[in-house]
Amino acid sequence: MTQQYTIARLGHQGDGIADGPIFAPRTLPGEVVTGGVEGQQLTDIRIETPSDDRVKPPCRHYKACGGCQLQHASDPFVAAWKVDIVRAALAAQGIEAEMRPIHTSLPHSRRRATIAVRRTKKGTLAGFHGRASDVITEIPDCHLLAPELLAAIPVAEALAVLGGSRKGILAVTLTLSSAGLDVSVQGGKPLDGPLEASLAQAAEQQGLARLAWDGEVLAMRNPPYQQFGAAKVAPPPGAFLQATKDGEAALLSTVQEIVAGSKKIVDLFAGCGTFSLPLAADAEVHAVEGEPTMTQALDQGWRMAQGLKRITTEARDLFRRPLMPDELRKVDAVVLDPPRAGAEAQVAELAQAQVPVIAYVSCNPVTFARDAKAIVTAGYTLNWVQVVDQFRWSAHTELAASFTLSHISG
């Protein structure tokens, strides 16, 4: 039975929420909508009274594709909504902070994407999954991906023909690098001699910089370098990389501003050196990361670079073994860039260490706000927050925040 609802607000996943709560994807606050209810989900939605912030989605794939959630909303609306998500998360912890104007990456700027590929009777089907679905939507005119990345989807299809199963879906991560396309495949057939040979031959024919299959490097014509400041780093297959160069630059410039003047910096959850290597132009850096292959890549990048100050690396699980206060003495600043779970254990020790400056980079406003509460309670001031939107048209929100000790003794 069709029912009518008024959308009150957007949830954290970008869905409209009406009283109930009833969740209505691709709706906006203030809109009057009708549809059928299944559980808490509104289906077969019809917009009866559209919002002034509703726009025509720029991408023709939007209706079927699950890659974006907010193309039906104006850019100013999305920008304000993402800033408000961070403000509300902080308010829930009793914290207010200056919110700087959001920085949003341009369309067609994603340098990395994981493409879903399935073999079919006629060949292959490659693209993104539909919303909450195993159905794959082809994306030849995607507005997110950089043109060079979009042009590489046939590579994913060719690999699926060679090593994909008719029963499963291949996850093919395509990353642009200075040496060409870096490809990492998960979910393929088990490797044997003939398959290895055919995949290596395909990598050569396609001109790939590197091809990895379920974590094993099968071919590397050239190291797939990423530029981090003055250093070139070849990350391990599938390693974390900021989604856009523009978003990475915005986060980096914010972190550099926060820690400016520091001579000794600890970079926690350092990855392959996104922040460590550029910061080493002016400061000594100790980079800590849980994955040894990443610290090795970072160290090698530093050793090959010219003109950088000393970087030391440490492979360490910061969730189980956070750096302790005595390990943070004589440090001028800490950079903290944890995964979505945040850094609760590390923040507890960091708060006791009383490091003068903390630059916190987060991809989850809720866990950031929880950690910010602990930092502020320990005597720090949250000076300001810079929201960065490099996942345009998605519900994903990133930020960098400046903390300084309110009273530095001595």
Side-chain angles (χ1 to χ4, degrees), residues 26 61-69 128-132 137:
R26 296 175 179 169
H61 308 306
Y62 180 58
K63 188 173 182 180
C65 178
C68 295
Q69 295 88 48
F128 289 149
H129 286 290
R131 179 187 171 88
T137 299

Side-chain angles (χ1 to χ4, degrees), residues 211-298:
L211 172 62
W213 195 265
D214 284 325
E216 182 177 339
V217 176
L218 297 185
M220 188 161 71
R221 296 171 66 250
N222 294 295
Y225 287 125
Q226 300 293 336
Q227 194 77 34
F228 297 144
K232 294 191 301 182
V233 175
F240 174 80
L241 186 70
Q242 297 291 347
T244 70
K245 284 186 178 181
D246 169 81
E248 178 180 282
L251 290 169
L252 173 60
S253 66
T254 306
V255 168
Q256 287 172 321
E257 178 186 351
I258 296 167
V259 304
S262 300
K263 297 304 179 189
K264 289 190 175 182
I265 298 172
V266 170
D267 184 9
L268 301 173
F269 304 96
C272 292
T274 304
F275 301 121
S276 295
L277 289 159
L279 292 175
D282 301 304
E284 290 187 5
V285 180
H286 182 55
V288 187
E289 162 61 43
E291 179 51 60
T293 55
M294 290 195 195
T295 57
Q296 290 161 12
L298 194 167

Side-chain angles (χ1 to χ4, degrees), residues 192-221:
D192 56 23
L195 180 56
E196 281 194 39
S198 61
L199 289 170
Q201 184 179 16
E204 186 69 31
Q205 291 171 342
Q206 299 281 0
L208 304 184
R210 178 173 65 184
L211 172 62
W213 195 265
D214 284 325
E216 182 177 339
V217 176
L218 297 185
M220 188 161 71
R221 296 171 66 250

